[in-house]
Amino acid sequence: MLESLGISVNVVKRLGTRDEVNEGIEAVRRRFGSLWIDKERCAYFLKALKQYRKEWDDKMGKFKNKPLHDWSSHAGDIIRYWAITPELYRGELKFSY
């Protein structure tokens, strides 16, 4: 459907398992220094990234080894997929939030 509207689409590897999600988070840490974000136009995105965190386990009294799924999860997904696909985006991250 997007291609019929003239929008280019690239299908990338799905980060579905816990190990793949953690791999994506590590990729963000490696590439984050090369990322430029407009703080005014992307204020909501930046707020979401600041809130993106691991899930807390009350029973064990420590963080679980997975991100908390809440309102900030989509921003985490966006930046993880950017980080694992440098050959597609050449450092550019463009989206509307």
Side-chain angles (χ1 to χ4, degrees):
M1 183 172 161
L2 293 174
E3 289 173 331
S4 69
L5 297 172
I7 299 171
S8 176
V9 175
N10 293 303
V11 178
V12 298
K13 174 181 141 184
R14 182 177 181 271
L15 300 178
T17 69
R18 185 174 302 156
D19 288 340
E20 290 167 337
V21 170
N22 289 334
E23 174 187 322
I25 291 169
E26 287 303 316
V28 171
R29 289 180 177 139
R30 285 191 303 273
R31 294 195 62 210
F32 197 78
S34 69
L35 182 62
W36 288 81
I37 302 172
D38 183 310
K39 67 181 179 183
E40 279 107 33
R41 293 174 54 196
C42 301
Y44 188 80
F45 177 69
L46 289 170
K47 182 178 179 180
L49 285 181
K50 288 177 185 175
Q51 291 298 312
Y52 189 66
R53 61 199 181 279
K54 288 184 176 183
E55 187 174 337
W56 179 256
D57 186 332
D58 283 327
K59 185 177 178 182
M60 299 297 288
K62 64 179 187 174
F63 286 102
K64 295 180 180 180
N65 193 23
K66 67 177 189 173
L68 174 67
H69 185 73
D70 66 1
W71 71 275
S72 67
S73 299
H74 295 296
D77 292 344
I78 290 166
I79 202 162
R80 277 199 328 273
Y81 280 102
W82 165 79
I84 66 162
T85 56
E87 69 283 354
L88 293 178
Y89 299 106
R90 302 193 198 292
E92 296 177 28
L93 177 60
K94 295 180 182 180
F95 64 93
S96 296
Y97 208 92

